[in-house]
Structures are given as C-alpha cells and as structure tokens.
Amino acid sequence: RMDQALLLVRNALPAEGLRLSAASAACHQCSYQFLAFIPASNGSARKPSVTVAVDTQHPLTLLLDGFSEDRELCKIHYHFGESGNYSLEVKTLSRSTQTVSCDLIINEDPINSYLPILFAFLVYMGILAIVIVGRLLMKIDPVRNWVCKKLNPRETDRLINSELGSPNRADSLSSNPSQHLWSAVSRQRLRSLDTFRGLSLIIMVFVNYGGGKYWFFKHESWNGKVQLRQFVFIMGTSVSLSLSSMLRWGSSKKKVLGKILWRSFLLILLGIIVVNPNYCLGPLSWDNLRIPGVLQRLGFTYLVVAALELLFTGAGAESVTVSYMPCPALQDILPYWPQWIFILTLEAIWLCLTFFLPVPGCPRGYLGPGGIGDFGKYPNCTGGAAGYIDRLLLGEKHIYQHPSSSVLYQTNMPYDPEGILGTINTIFMAFLGLQAGKIILLYKDQHKQIMSRFFIWSIVMGIISAALTKCSKDEGFIPINKNLWSISYVTTMSCFAFILLLLIYYLVDVKRLWSGAPFFYPGMNSILVYIGHEVFENYFPFKWKMQDSQSHAEHLTQNLTATTLWVIISYVLYRRRIFWKI
C-alpha cells in the first residue's frame, strides 16, 4: 500500500521465539507497538518467517525481544522506502556467548515517491515560462498587431482604417466612465493583500484536498510543522483597512457594527452548513451535528477583532503624526493600548485555563495527544484542557470525531482543532494582522517605514517563538501545535506572515515587479473559493475514480487539478467582475 514497505523477518534462533515491535520517530514518547510473533526454528532446516507491512513516512525503531526469556535481542533504527522489500535475518553468531545478530537486507529497492512532485513543479514552471515569454512578445508591436488581427480581424481593420489611429489606454478609459472608475478603484486597492490572501487560500485548498497524500502536506499529527496558512492573519489586516475606509467615508459606527454582526452571523451559519454535509447520507441528525469549524471560528474571530477595532478607533485615527507621540518608535501600539490590554487579558485567560484547569484523569497543564503518546500514561487526555472544555460545553458528539492524532497516536477521544479554547489564540493572530493593517495606514505611501516595521514585528514574533519552544519540536514550554492553536503556533505563523507580507508588498505594490497573478484572483473571491472547494470536493471534475488509489502520482494529479480549477474559476469571475462578498 501507499507509504508502506514489506519486511520479512526470519528467525534462525534454535529455541527462542521473537516478538517484533516498532515505534515511529514522529511519535513523541510513544510506547512500542506489537507487530508480529516469529516462532523458534527448533532445529528445523526451514527457518520460520513472518511478513509485515511497515510505515515508510518516518524513520522507525524496530525492537526484537526474546519471547521466552523476555530479553531485548536487538534494536534497529531505519527509514524504510516506499514499496521496498526487506528481510531481517535473526541468527546466533556464537552458541557459547549467545550473541545474536540482526541483519537487514534490501531484497527489492524502494521507488522514489517524490518524483511526481518534481514533475509537477517542472510542468508549472513550464507554464510560467510560456506566460512570461508570451507577455514579452506582446510588447513587440508587429507581434501584438498580428495577434489582435487573428483574434478579432474586424476590430483590427477598423482601428487601422480609422483616422484617429489606435486609441491609447487613457482614451479608452475616458470613453467609458465606469471602466475608469473600476480602474481607479483597482489601483487604490493594495494588490499585495489580495495576493497574500489568495496564496494562503490556495495552499489551504491543496492541503484540504489531500496534498497528493504526502505526509508533509498533511495536517501534523500533533506538535510541529508550520504550513503557510495565514488566512486568519490577513483577515485581521483587511479589517483594519476596511473599517478605516468605511468610517472615513462617513458611515456611522452603529451602521458599521450592524454590518459586522451580520457578516459574522453569515460566516458562522455557512460554516455549520459546510461542515455538516448530508448529501447522500440521509437527513442530518441534531444528535451529532458538529458545531465548531473553520468558518465558525473565522466568523467569531472577525466579530471580536472588528468590534474591538471599531470601539477604540475613530475616523482619521491613522493620521496621528509622529510629533504628538511620546515614543515615536511605538506609535503603532501606544494609541491602541486599550486593545492590547484586552488581547493580553484573553491570553492570560488562555494560559490559566490551559495550565491550571483541573481535567479529570489528566495532569494539569497537559498539552499532549493522549493515546499511546507519553508512553500510554494518559490515553484519554487528548488536548488536555482544550479537549475537556469542548467535550464539557459542546458534548462529545458535537465535535470532530477523527482528529489527525488518531492514526499515529492511536487516540480514541474526539477532539476538535477548531474548538473553543483555541479560538482565543485565533483572535490574537487576527489582532496581529490588524496591527499590520495599522502600519499600512499609519505610514501610508512610506514604503521603507512599512517594510521596516513588518521586519521588526517578524523578528519580535520569532524571538517569542524561540523562547516558548526552546527551538525544538516537543521539548519547549509551549510546543508549536496547530491542533491546540498554541500561543507559540500563533507567534511562529505571524513571524512568517509578516515576512511574507513584506516580500509580497515589495514585489507587488512597491516595485510592481509582479502583478500577484495567479494568487490575486482567488484572493478577490476567497469566501466563494473556500466554500466551493468544500461543497464540490467529491464532484467531478474536482475528483474522479482513480486507476490506482495507492499512487501518489494519481493523487497529486487530482489534487493539483482541483486546486488549479479553482484558480481558473476565480480568474473567470474576476474578468466578469463577479465577487461574492459577505
């Protein structure tokens, strides 16, 4: 099967059976799991053997114990290759010393399962090269005229025969007032923000579709691995800019608050509908309706952050000058001290609940996955306080039933990665995105100041992350964990978000070296693309029956095709000026 290899274990020991167990290097402090029992040879010429399937995603530690004497015979640390065929020969080197030898032999070489990624990369790079060459050729007048004539010969002839000659861009805009208005609005809008949002969204869509079934594209089983999924961050940035615009154009705070409430309600409602599909499964039962979800969390986060910004910000607040500030270096923080007090209070609540809330049967401050993690001491403590609060307030049947920890850590408890406690840190991440928006407003058109502030914030977030995690995956005070939405996860994601926003802002809005395509288009229709990819996930052409369901190449082709289709759809909608806003 996919991500598996075959291991044939031969026992040449004359009078002792073998017990084979294994532990994955990705499973932190996990107890060994029994794989097979190999009987003793008992002097027979034919050596007993057992074939087992072993995981190839991460290095494994194989442990061979003597069954009768219960002694450790050998321990092997090895990273098996996908579809490889291996043999493990266990024999006695010396009868006098009872020295046991364990030799691992490769019978059939594994395949290179990463070649499809290289091929896909080359295909997309080829498409990019064709687009770039095409754009360069279109700048040559004879080529452009030839293409225009082939595409629309009547219009080309009319322009050639016209006494006015070929109209320039300004003439065409002035002849169409609505086109001019559209162009002006497009120029004022920061394309870097939509590009950032689109990039985060497309990565999210690709991962949700399966990511080619590669382990490094999947959601982490528990601690570690940060993927570029800063949708929450850029939502906060957009809140700052949109509220400032509405207040500047004369909208009352009461009217703006009404829009915030309505949008939050719609996001939460759509989220509940999307995560509870019943398509061909019959009527949905209220007894197992899942309440938390991505859109629900986004809706509530938007409500809190937007209301907080609206409460403490007035029209023209971004125009405060440096000379009036007691500390110019903190002018994007000090005027908003009530907001920071509110956010820090929320973080204090998260810390107190996470580390001091008593959870039945679990140690205080437990942040582990439960199951076989921590040597199986706390099998029912998945998520610690976060999981307990969800089960207590929402009920076990109303949260996610198949968490990412269930495979590697063999957990049995339901756990929702979009649960109640983690929403506090989601609000914090959106608030950091809000901070980026305030920097853009405060230093309007001062590109060096904006980029330097982004860089400083990235460094600060990185230092906090290093302190919290001790620069390790599992040994820090608070590990990076998306399932918990730990504070270190937020600071690490924000560190990358500030740097990524800096780079995109520089390339797209400062130097104009990149238009933001193709990510700009899904960024302009983010809600539609997200809901659409969830609703139509199992429909053609986003999914089809595969010839070999155990092939990374087929899964990658299908997932990339589906993701690319949403980029194309968003481009078509953009060209037709169709935008679904909530």
Side-chain angles (χ1 to χ4, degrees):
R1 295 176 64 87
M2 189 185 301
D3 298 323
Q4 286 186 344
L6 288 180
L7 176 64
L8 176 68
V9 185
R10 287 195 181 94
N11 184 8
L13 301 183
E16 188 167 16
L18 300 175
R19 181 171 54 237
L20 176 66
S21 305
S24 172
C27 196
H28 181 59
Q29 293 185 342
C30 288
S31 51
Y32 284 91
Q33 299 303 297
F34 175 77
L35 292 182
F37 171 71
I38 306 95
S41 61
N42 293 323
S44 173
R46 187 175 181 179
K47 310 304 180 187
S49 63
V50 172
T51 302
V52 294
V54 292
D55 182 67
T56 61
Q57 297 182 82
H58 307 283
L60 290 180
T61 300
L62 299 177
L63 178 65
L64 278 165
D65 292 327
F67 190 76
S68 57
E69 300 181 14
D70 196 21
R71 63 188 178 108
E72 181 180 314
L73 299 177
C74 59
K75 186 183 290 186
I76 300 173
H77 187 73
Y78 192 77
H79 194 172
F80 294 92
E82 184 174 340
S83 299
N85 196 312
Y86 303 85
S87 292
L88 181 59
E89 304 280 350
V90 184
K91 56 188 177 181
T92 304
L93 292 179
S94 170
R95 290 182 178 273
S96 58
T97 61
Q98 294 295 312
T99 304
V100 175
S101 168
C102 299
D103 299 322
L104 189 63
I105 304 168
I106 301 177
N107 302 323
E108 185 177 338
D109 289 330
I111 63 172
N112 189 343
S113 58
Y114 304 124
L115 282 178
I117 298 178
L118 175 61
F119 181 76
F121 174 78
L122 294 176
V123 168
Y124 278 96
M125 287 300 101
I127 295 173
L128 177 62
I130 292 172
V131 171
I132 293 174
V133 171
R135 291 177 70 92
L136 292 175
L137 289 175
M138 286 298 289
K139 292 181 179 181
I140 304 174
D141 289 340
V143 176
R144 184 173 65 250
N145 294 336
W146 181 83
V147 172
C148 291
K149 188 173 183 179
K150 290 295 182 182
L151 293 178
N152 194 351
R154 291 185 179 180
E155 178 66 14
T156 305
D157 291 341
R158 187 188 69 79
L159 292 175
I160 292 174
N161 296 327
S162 172
E163 295 180 359
L164 298 177
S166 178
N168 57 30
R169 178 176 174 83
D171 296 333
S172 61
L173 288 177
S174 61
S175 63
N176 190 343
S178 61
Q179 178 73 18
H180 177 72
L181 178 62
W182 172 257
S183 177
V185 171
S186 298
R187 284 197 302 269
Q188 290 175 2
R189 188 182 181 99
L190 284 175
R191 292 180 71 94
S192 56
L193 300 187
D194 294 309
T195 303
F196 186 103
R197 185 188 300 109
L199 175 61
S200 301
L201 178 61
I202 289 306
I203 292 174
M204 185 188 302
V205 169
F206 175 66
V207 171
N208 288 349
Y209 273 147
K213 298 298 181 182
Y214 290 101
W215 66 269
F216 42 80
F217 287 141
K218 296 178 183 178
H219 297 295
E220 186 64 63
S221 296
W222 201 246
N223 292 336
K225 195 175 67 178
V226 176
Q227 295 170 335
L228 292 175
R229 297 165 67 89
Q230 291 100 344
F231 198 83
V232 174
F233 180 91
I234 203 64
M235 181 184 73
T237 307
S238 301
V239 165
S240 178
L241 300 179
S242 61
L243 290 186
S244 173
S245 176
M246 284 189 284
L247 293 175
R248 191 169 58 251
W249 283 96
S251 296
S252 66
K253 285 194 172 184
K254 183 178 179 181
K255 183 178 179 180
V256 174
L257 180 60
K259 289 183 178 181
I260 293 171
L261 292 170
W262 176 245
R263 189 168 193 242
S264 302
F265 169 75
L266 287 180
L267 283 172
I268 294 172
L269 179 63
L270 285 171
I272 292 176
I273 294 172
V274 166
V275 300
N276 292 286
N278 60 337
Y279 307 133
C280 302
L281 304 178
L284 182 67
S285 171
W286 291 101
D287 295 334
N288 15 346
L289 181 82
R290 182 186 172 191
I291 298 175
V294 173
L295 287 179
Q296 296 93 304
R297 175 173 279 187
L298 288 176
F300 185 77
T301 299
Y302 172 79
L303 174 63
V304 174
V305 173
L308 184 66
E309 177 70 359
L310 182 66
L311 181 63
F312 293 104
T313 304
E318 68 274 7
S319 62
V320 179
T321 58
V322 179
S323 59
Y324 293 109
M325 299 302 302
C327 183
L330 300 176
Q331 61 177 319
D332 56 337
I333 300 177
L334 291 181
Y336 311 102
W337 62 267
Q339 297 177 348
W340 278 100
I341 290 177
F342 178 82
I343 292 298
L344 293 176
T345 302
L346 285 182
E347 286 306 311
I349 292 172
W350 182 85
L351 289 169
C352 289
L353 290 175
T354 299
F355 290 100
F356 300 110
L357 180 69
V359 179
C362 307
R364 290 198 181 188
Y366 183 71
L367 300 175
I372 63 173
D374 300 293
F375 306 109
K377 295 178 182 177
Y378 318 111
N380 298 321
C381 295
T382 304
Y388 175 68
I389 290 173
D390 288 342
R391 293 190 293 270
L392 182 67
L393 299 182
L394 302 177
E396 288 190 7
K397 293 185 177 181
H398 295 291
I399 59 179
Y400 193 48
Q401 300 296 308
H402 309 287
S404 57
S405 59
S406 60
V407 177
L408 185 63
Y409 287 94
Q410 301 180 22
T411 57
N412 297 315
M413 298 294 291
Y415 178 81
D416 208 306
E418 276 76 46
I420 296 172
L421 193 57
T423 304
I424 292 178
N425 286 336
T426 310
I427 292 171
F428 180 42
M429 185 170 182
F431 182 75
L432 291 172
L434 188 79
Q435 188 67 33
K438 290 175 181 176
I439 291 171
I440 293 173
L441 291 172
L442 185 63
Y443 299 99
K444 188 174 183 181
D445 297 327
Q446 301 177 49
H447 301 312
K448 288 185 178 180
Q449 289 285 355
I450 290 173
M451 291 189 292
S452 63
R453 296 300 291 182
F454 285 169
F455 182 74
I456 291 170
W457 273 100
S458 176
I459 295 298
V460 171
M461 292 295 107
I463 291 173
I464 294 174
S465 296
L468 291 175
T469 63
K470 297 182 181 179
C471 298
S472 68
K473 178 182 175 182
D474 299 296
E475 305 300 333
F477 301 109
I478 304 178
I480 296 172
N481 190 300
K482 182 188 176 296
N483 289 283
L484 296 171
W485 267 79
S486 62
I487 182 64
S488 57
Y489 174 79
V490 170
T491 54
T492 305
M493 289 283 287
S494 299
C495 170
F496 288 115
F498 275 111
I499 283 291
L500 184 61
L501 183 57
L502 186 157
L503 293 174
I504 295 177
Y505 177 76
Y506 177 77
L507 293 173
V508 175
D509 287 321
V510 179
K511 291 298 182 179
R512 301 184 186 275
L513 299 174
W514 177 33
S515 67
F519 305 113
F520 172 76
Y521 307 115
M524 292 287 289
N525 247 321
S526 55
I527 296 296
L528 185 145
V529 171
Y530 181 82
I531 293 179
H533 102 276
E534 288 278 3
V535 172
F536 297 104
E537 177 182 3
N538 295 313
Y539 292 89
F540 183 83
F542 305 102
K543 194 172 186 178
W544 58 83
K545 187 176 181 180
M546 299 181 184
Q547 291 184 348
D548 182 7
S549 61
Q550 299 302 315
S551 166
H552 279 294
E554 287 205 43
H555 280 282
L556 186 64
T557 301
Q558 186 176 92
N559 300 154
L560 285 175
T561 300
T563 306
T564 304
L565 282 173
W566 283 114
V567 175
I568 295 172
I569 290 170
S570 61
Y571 172 74
V572 172
L573 293 176
Y574 175 81
R575 296 294 296 177
R576 294 178 176 272
R577 301 177 194 172
I578 299 174
F579 305 101
W580 187 23
K581 302 293 183 182
I582 294 180

